[in-house]
Amino acid sequence: MSRLSEGGLIDRSKPLAFSFDGKAMRGYAGDTLASALLANDVRLVGRSFKYHRPRGIFSSGSEEPNALVELRDGARREPNSRATVVELYDGLSAASQNRWPSLDFDIQSVNGLLGPLLGAGFYYKTFMWPAALWEKLYEPLIRRAAGLGRAAEAPDPDSYDRSFAFCDLLVIGGGAAGLMAALTAGRSGARVILADEDFRFGGRILAERAEIDDAPSLAFVERAVAELAALPNVRLLPRTTVFGAYDGGTFGALERVADHLPLPPAFTPRQRYWKIVAKRSLLCAGAIDRPIVFGGNDRPGVMSAQALRTYAVRYAANPGKRAVVFANNGYAWSAAFDAAEAGVDIAAIVDVRPEAPPIQLERAKRRGVRVIQGGQVVATSGRLLSSVTVRSATGEEKIAAEVLAISGGSSPNVGLTSHFGGKPVYRADIAGFVPGACPPGMRVAGAARGDYSLARCLAAGAAEAAEAVSELGFSAYATPVPQARDNAITVTPFWHVPGSRGPAFVDLQNDVTAKDITIAHTEGFRAVELLKRYTTLGMATDQGRTSNVTGLAMMAVLTGQDVGATGTTLFRPPYTPVALGAIAGHHRGKDFRATRPTPTHDWARAQGAVFVEAGLWLRAQYFPRPGETDWLETVNREVTATRTGVGLIDVSTFGKIDIQGPDAGAFLDRVYINTFSTLPVGRARYGVMLREDGIVMDDGTTSRLGERHYLMTTTTANAAKVYQHLEFCLQVLWPELDVQMASVSEQWAQISIAGPQARAVLEQVVDGLDVSNAALPYMGVAQGTVLSGVAARIFRVSFSGELGYEIAVPARQGRRLAEALMAAGAPFGITPYGTEALGVMRIEKGHVSGNELNGQTSARDLGLGRMASTKKDYVGRVLSQRPAFLEEGRVSFVGFKPVNPGDRLRAGAHFLPHGRSGTTANDEGYMTSVAFSPLLGHWIGLGLIARGTERIGESVRAYDPVRGGDIPVEICHPAFVDPEGERLRV
Amino acid sequence: MRSRYSVFSLLANALTGQKGWTPAWRDAAPKPAYDVIVVGGGGHGLATAYYLAKEHGIRNVAVLEKGHIGSGNAGRNTTIIRSNYLLPGNEPFYEWSMKLWEGLEQDVNYNSMVSQRGVLNLYHSDAQRDAYARRGNSMRMAGADSELLDEAGVRAYAPFLNFDDARFPIKGGLLQRRGGTARHDAVVWGYARAADKLGVDIVQNCEVTGFIRENGVVVGVETTRGPIRAGKVGLAVAGSTSRLTRLLDLRLPIESHVLTAFVSEGLKPLVPGVVTFGAGHFYVSQSDKGGLVFGGDIDGYNSYAQRGNLPVVEDVCEAGMALMPQIGRLRVLRSWGGIMDMSMDGSPIIDVGPLPGLYLNCGWNYGGFKATPASGWCFAWTLAKDAPHALNAAYRLDRFRTGHMIDEKGVGAQPNLH
Amino acid sequence: MRLPCPYCGVRDAHEFSYLGDAAPRRPDPAAPDAADAFHDYVYLRDNPAGAIRELWYHGAGCRRWIVVDRDTRTHAIAGATFASGSASGDAS
């Protein structure tokens, strides 16, 4: 065990069992998986992406490029989990990934031997010969070798929640700056949310041995958190990553509610996706250590100096027996001293600078830490790091060490600041990029903007928060800022050790080497985006947080530009990767989208209906009876029963729009191609409306219920669209019209009965209303009551072509009405039918429906052109007169029947003249709808074919190669049944 | 002299420390005048220049790019190639594009990883099935491949989909096996390298700021690197088209919209080809690196910001989970936005004019990547011959005036619905 | 994105649907040049990179059509009014 005997923010009274690659281990509450692995002497944790090189733990945070594992098992398997941020829980099981057969022995590490061949751009220059082998051989091999972890094996069993939150100030990051900011704003009375990705507030204070107000800095953290927790206007969100900045002060955040537990407790989501709307935001996300590039800088045991300190101080885990620190700055020295005090054996501090500040030298001397100034690490050895070769003025020296802690300076966590496209700005004095233009309302404080001193972090957090809430009218009184002492720390830019031995990695996860940067430079891929794309620098799961700046600085050296002018690639959301399931929330499975049952849904289910999705609606598709062997047999029965007796169907899904006002008729005249202002009260009329581009938008019947009162029906699919269109016409085009509208689709249940016996059935449910042919003729509308006092509207309209009525009652009465009609119709053998039979009957009648109103057809195409009034303007009139709409060869709507009556027709078949080949040039149109007509005893179809109405009686090919069909069909009139409409009027 | 990429060049470089490579293309400085200027160094612009040189012998050509090549939509798309269009104005064009893809790598001597692993469009209703049958038949009639799969067929191709607990059950799909993906950046680089080899000047960091007109004729452009004259000026700048045509007082049937795309962390192989949900806005493929590349609908409002908002992020993840509930714990790694030149009928414009000396290539909506080879090929033809080729004869600008729209979706003159 | 609906207050954009530029006005259908004018009205757009006045419909709210002043480069919103002009409000 490499657990240090004392110290650390772990709870030694709470041991936790866990396993890695099947091996049982123990850690403590407060550990991360990474710290627990180190404490168990596990140094080899993963394999790299391209060369499958052995890798250890590099960092102690969410920027981790190396230590990716598969966490949990089976349906809960989470690939690519960063061991550095996985909070240890009892029973945790993790496995290494991207290796075969084992982590220790990975066959694909031979890729490393091919390294000289597999440089940047390698793929683009080869695998082209012969062409066919790419999909068959090369690519499958590449795909199998690539990838990282494996997806879960079954649907994710956990649930996810979605919450909204609103605040005055969102503080992102709960370190020194963030805590002071939240305190300052919280005390002012502003609504504050403080979010931190860690499971413990404090940021770097947790890993540093510092003092605030002459006491251990941890005491400050505890006091601050306690005060914040007690403020009612402050919400603390630990384990919460603010992952994206969006418009309107909206932030996306992910709270890991139960990831630190073996399983989510009952009624608890695994994670919660927050949408936080903040008037102001303050980014206090800190900074991370950046590596230095040299040969062999990827061996397990090489880690950031910050990580060494964090593991030693916060987790009391010693990452290795002896550590060498290699740096170009003073932070790493402090890290080394802290680690030494925690119990780590520091063999040497190697600093590239010829002269380190005297005060640091003094400290080193006091602690007995050896210092090599002007030194560079030029090689490392050991499969797991065993020694480090240092070159200095005195020559080369090999130093035994299991840990090499490196720091090439700090990179502020600027990610969120560039989500609106703001480019980070290079500051030479800190050799790092700091935020440029931020999203509106966002400020930055502390290390995230390059202020690394603890004292300045505390002061800036307070000051920025005070300014932010002052802008909102809160008076932030001058909070005394706690005092901290730290010395100015300097950094000398240094990126790459020239002449070091072995592959030198820039991007550890994607195995991008210093040589790859050189290749990119040579071949002209010098712009940062080209460099990234050509070499894959920064495209791994860490998004280059530890590699981008170094890589582009190395390119800057090659091009002779300065780093600032070279610039950096932009960070995009999410800041750290976010589980898809969390964003989706409850919208999955059957709950992906809302389900709209019709008013008679439960009744239909009791009748044994099979349902079909119609947009969000579920409609009864057909009602099979025992003994029926397939859907067609059922549908034939339903059609026949309706045409010979009476049938019943719920048509509540049609859109219903109530239109009232003195100008209602004039309004309808402008939206329909035909006229409605002349429609008598108590009558209905079929109407067609166009889009302004002249194409048919929708159709339906509209009734006049009163002098100033109309009720429009729309198709089920277009109900919302038509309503929005009407509101547009009214509010935007003609606000001068005095018309009011409301959608009443859901307020009314509407049931259609059709068939020769329909009237006989209807008479039994109306309350003394005269529904005779004289009193309620075809296209007549009556209002009254049914079922002893239920308000009802009765429309004598028909889609089936039979004598038909649609009876509308308040939605809650729908089921009762259906049952009453069924009872009343029982003596006539009333038969419930579904959308399939409805479709058959409308095709037999040659009515257009959704398949014909497909957004590509004009009224003229559909044979409805003569309905258009020539005496008025209406939406779509002008553009429906364009040349293409009037062309001779344009398609028109006709019927089709098989020349051989036994042939089955298929919608989607194209029409070809006989004797012509099946090419685009010979394409004359297509079949839109087909049905088997039980009345005619063969399949019938509707379709659009060039000059169709002139070609009645002509035979053409219905060509359907995707289903192997090619049959002769005869063009006919679209109305197969009762073309004169006599049945409607009886 | 730029060497040909071959097994031998790779081995030779491996043995010599990768020191033998040369720039993939020259970083050319602009000359005072060219025969043809193509504005826009994306896939379409570079392909246009390449085919102008190769097919028409017009080599005194400059491609002007305001940033670096491939920095617009060419580098931001989801890399799908397919020719599964419905309408006769479209399908032959896209099938020609597919044929060019199939020979591209050998043609330009660059592995663009054209990978024909299939594109599957799912259907969830009988009406959708019939619409896909119509489309599949259109494809066959244009010489493309298509297969109409039933549910069992979909299960065989993509067994990982949610068949059992779906709000909108999968009933089948339309599969184009020749569809797939290509490595988008490599397409740009391949065309750039090949065009450069034929003498085309690729001028980067050269933003067009105005047009030089004489007697109403466009005879060149003003740029941040000075005026450049040209016999013909072709625009291939996708979402930035209106910014340029505004300088000529032209209004076009185009709006610029933002489309967000996503990539997940890397995974071992899960998704073989491209799968498109038929009951929501979602499509997904898996890159050779292992990341799931996916996306959905445009945000729906005019935008040049190259970034979108959370409602679409949610919509896409919801549809993804509806289709593949086992990816719940997989993480979204990165999202980014591109500026789509959404046209009024959802179809592109490749045409002569509307001013003398000016040529338009725009209106690619969110589907420009797959069109790259044919767009370049047809635009080169149109520039060279001053008339469209039969393949882009339907892509005229005046089709909106005459009523010959090419509206695959049938949603009309509302760009954000296409 | 959040839109300042003059009736409902500031609401998330997902409650609204977008139509486009509010500048084009439906031409006089009786004018002799109606065909050209309607072509321009329906199809041609300024498509500005910058300030735009655009039509949104608050379908999941008050069902009012509103005109929003927005910048297409930054998505910054300057204000909104009712499209009808009547009962106008300004939530800028």
Side-chain angles (χ1 to χ4, degrees), chain A residues 305 308-309 312 318-326 332-350 364 367-371 399-401 403-405:
Chain A
L308 171 65
R309 162 148 68 182
N318 188 352
K321 287 203 180 67
R322 268 161 63 87
V324 168
V325 175
F326 176 36
W333 291 57
S334 313
F337 301 148
D338 279 0
E341 277 175 33
V344 176
D345 178 8
I346 304 291
I349 295 175
V350 180
R367 289 175 176 82
V369 173
R370 183 184 168 203
V371 172
I399 303 172
V403 173
L404 174 56

Side-chain angles (χ1 to χ4, degrees), chain A residues 733-757:
Chain A
L733 297 186
W734 309 303
E736 70 278 8
L737 293 182
D738 187 356
V739 176
Q740 302 295 321
M741 273 190 315
S743 164
V744 295
S745 301
E746 290 174 354
Q747 280 67 29
W748 293 88
Q750 199 146 313
I751 292 177
S752 168
I753 52 173
Q757 304 296 340

Side-chain angles (χ1 to χ4, degrees), chain B residues 27-30 203-207 222-228:
Chain B
D27 195 10
V203 186
Q204 300 183 100
N205 300 307
C206 181
E207 182 172 1
E222 304 281 357
T223 78
T224 49
R225 297 178 75 170
I228 311 173

Side-chain angles (χ1 to χ4, degrees), chain B residues 35-198:
Chain B
D35 292 341
V36 177
I37 283 175
V38 179
V39 184
H44 290 227
L46 291 164
T48 302
Y50 170 68
Y51 291 116
L52 272 172
K54 181 185 173 231
E55 302 286 337
H56 305 282
I58 300 173
R59 298 185 173 201
N60 186 22
V61 174
V63 176
L64 308 184
E65 168 54 49
K66 75 175 169 186
H68 55 87
I69 61 167
S71 56
N73 294 343
R76 291 164 183 270
N77 60 78
T78 46
T79 78
I80 296 166
I81 61 172
R82 56 184 172 89
S83 61
N84 56 357
Y85 280 73
L86 170 68
L87 299 174
N90 273 331
E91 180 57 15
F93 171 86
Y94 284 101
E95 176 53 20
W96 176 236
S97 207
M98 183 59 81
K99 291 203 167 70
L100 291 172
W101 282 120
E102 287 170 330
L104 178 67
E105 293 155 317
Q106 287 67 33
D107 187 14
V108 301
N109 181 229
Y110 206 87
N111 184 0
S112 309
M113 303 186 188
V114 171
S115 176
Q116 297 179 292
R117 304 192 308 277
V119 171
L120 175 67
N121 294 331
L122 298 172
Y123 62 77
H124 309 263
S125 70
D126 290 353
Q128 249 181 337
R129 177 202 60 211
D130 294 344
Y132 276 139
R134 178 188 170 198
R135 177 183 299 254
N137 287 332
S138 290
M139 292 162 66
R140 296 275 191 104
M141 292 166 80
D145 66 307
S146 65
E147 293 168 49
L148 193 67
L149 304 183
D150 59 9
E151 189 197 320
V154 174
R155 278 184 190 264
Y157 178 81
F160 50 87
L161 299 176
N162 178 14
F163 292 93
D164 304 322
D165 177 39
R167 172 70 180 80
F168 300 101
I170 295 166
K171 302 261 175 77
L174 182 67
L175 175 64
Q176 182 177 32
R177 291 195 191 269
R178 286 164 65 241
T181 59
R183 171 89 178 92
H184 55 354
D185 293 324
V187 173
V188 171
W189 302 333
Y191 272 123
R193 182 167 169 272
D196 174 87
K197 229 173 169 174
L198 294 176

